[in-house]
């Protein structure tokens, strides 16, 4: 899990920045984002509803067209802006 100390810290942060890997070998980025938010919700249901910035990392490993497609699909799936 994320750890109690970390979750207590997150509770005090006004904005959460989620760095989500673009690598797809262990699932797609939207799945990782949902798992993280599920863990936050298990600690406090209000945490996933707060302001979040979502940044896609490791995009340098992909073709720019792949990145654009991934960002569009990710945004459509989670209903939030995703920053590559």
């Amino acid at each position: 899990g994320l750890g109690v100390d970390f979750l207590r810290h997150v509770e005090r942060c006004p904005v959460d920045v989620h760095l989500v890997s673009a690598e797809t070998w262990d699932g797609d980025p939207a799945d990782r984002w949902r798992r993280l938010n599920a863990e936050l919700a298990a600690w406090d249901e209000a945490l996933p509803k707060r302001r979040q910035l979502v940044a896609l990392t490791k995009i340098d490993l992909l073709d720019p067209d792949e990145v654009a497609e991934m960002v569009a699909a990710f945004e459509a799936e989670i209903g939030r802006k995703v920053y590559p």
Side-chain angles (χ1 to χ4, degrees):
L2 293 174
V4 173
D5 289 337
F6 177 75
L7 289 166
R8 286 188 188 136
H9 169 73
V10 170
E11 287 178 318
R12 295 186 305 268
C13 296
V15 177
D16 297 331
V17 178
H18 295 265
L19 302 175
V20 182
S21 173
E23 293 179 309
T24 58
W25 62 270
D26 67 340
D28 74 339
D31 285 338
R32 282 192 283 282
W33 180 82
R34 277 193 293 282
R35 286 193 312 257
L36 175 59
N37 275 287
E39 191 159 345
L40 292 172
W43 177 261
D44 180 344
E45 289 182 12
L47 290 178
K49 298 173 186 164
R50 295 186 332 173
R51 186 164 181 229
Q52 294 182 7
L53 299 176
V54 182
L56 195 59
T57 66
K58 300 185 182 179
I59 60 171
D60 57 316
L61 302 174
L62 304 173
D63 178 85
D65 292 333
E66 285 181 274
V67 173
E69 290 175 18
M70 184 178 286
V71 168
F74 195 179
E75 288 177 337
E77 198 165 331
I78 70 171
R80 294 178 184 263
K81 174 80 174 134
V82 175
Y83 298 91

